[in-house]
Every structure is written in structure tokens, then in C-alpha cells.
Amino acid sequence: MKKNVVLNWSGGKDATMAFHQLSHHENIEVISLLTSINSKRERITMHGVPLSLLKRQVDALNQQLDLITLPENISMEKYSSIVREKAQQHHQDGISHYAYGDIFLQDLRDFRDEEAAKSQLKTLYPLWGLNTKELAMQFIHLGYKAIVVAVSSAKLSQEFAGRIYDKEFITDLPSNIDPCGENGEFHTFVFDGPLFKHPIDFTKGTTSLHRYASSDNSDSKWDNGVWFCDIS
């Protein structure tokens, strides 16, 4: 029986590789790509890619775009409520599974599984447990192309933002940085590859630092800055 799948989509390389893996399964049909965007900025959350580029990317992949619109400042409780409402609608529309590009963050997987189960959805992790260095090399060898659009200022310097994600980029990464950025060290935007009907043309703009703080002003491990390379 064919599985109707919604793939959680960031526009980056891990989501792309998850899509690549799913596309080779005869019993899986990806119905849409689900992306969260900031309602005020109209950009992909955490990645900062504008909605206009996201739409062009999804169209080049011959897919349907499914959006979750989030307010600028949102509590975890409100976030879960919005995401759950969307998941419940998907279940009613005949979606059986949510798919994710996560590789080894067990606590995040547990959270996703629990949330999906509340809407009677099952989960798929096509990349789970893979060696991230090998996965990074596979992405490149397959012919996918990506630009690094955001880097954590706590982990990497500004110069890493705006670079093409290639062998040289991976070689230049400090030894403590995961080559896939699985710990949030950096994020990418994929603009070409085997699944694309055509490359996505874009213009690289300036790189700027955005700082984020937790809602309770604590010294949370999430309190840091992000270098965003603007693309349009």
C-alpha cells in the first residue's frame, strides 16, 4: 500500500537528500513539501531564505508547497498548537506519514514522533543513522548544489556564510563542526541537482548578524547570533 507523505522542508541539503531517498521508493508518494515561514519577514524560519525563492525552488522540484505561517515571536506552546492543527488537517486529507531530514538528534526525533502521533501520523527518517561526512560527499557527488545561507556565530565565523557547499567548504570546517551542520552550525539553500527541472537563479547580497535571545532572558544554549547571507 502506497504511503502518502508530507516532507518537512527547509530548502536545505538534508531535506533535499531525504527527498532524493524517498523518490526512489515505489511505495512512497511525496504529496507536498511543508515549510515554516516567518509571517513578518516572509522568510524560511532559521534559514532566512525569502518565500519568493522557496516557491521557485519547490516549483523546480515539481512539487506542491505547503506553508505553516508563524508569528515573529512565538511560544513553544503556540508553535505546537499551530503545527498540530496543520498535522490534523493533513491526516484528514489522507496523509499517512511525515518525513524528516534528521540524521542523529534523538531528542528531536522523539519530539517529532510524539507530535505526529497526536494527529495519527507516522514518521519517516530516510537519513537516520547515516555517516554525515559520507552523506555530505554523496550530496556533492550526485550533482546537487547549495549555498550556505546562515551560520551560527557561536560556532563559525562570518566568512563561512555565503559560500558554496562543496568539498572545499567541508575541508575548511573546524574539526568540531559536523559536515552536515546537524547541530545547527549552518544552514543551506539548494539551487540545483538531479531532481531539479532547472537551476534556481539567485543574487547573493550582504551578510549581516542577527542575535536571538530566549523569551525568559536566560543564558540558554540557544542564545546566540546567526550570520545570514541574504539571497534573492
Side-chain angles (χ1 to χ4, degrees), residues 146-222:
I147 180 173
V148 179
V149 292
V151 302
S152 167
S153 63
K155 303 288 184 65
L156 292 169
S157 63
Q158 175 183 354
E159 289 71 24
F160 282 91
R163 290 183 57 175
I164 296 298
Y165 184 77
D166 54 16
K167 293 179 182 178
E168 185 178 358
F169 176 87
I170 296 171
T171 299
D172 290 343
L173 289 174
S175 60
N176 64 327
I177 301 299
D178 184 79
C180 283
E182 178 71 350
N183 296 302
E185 298 98 328
F186 59 89
H187 302 289
T188 57
F189 175 76
V190 182
F191 58 87
D192 196 11
L195 292 178
F196 285 72
K197 294 185 294 184
H198 53 76
I200 308 301
D201 293 327
F202 63 90
T203 300
K204 187 170 73 170
T206 59
T207 298
S208 56
L209 179 65
H210 293 249
R211 294 197 177 279
Y212 297 90
S214 63
S215 58
D216 59 2
N217 295 319
S218 66
D219 294 327
S220 166
K221 66 179 180 180
W222 302 108

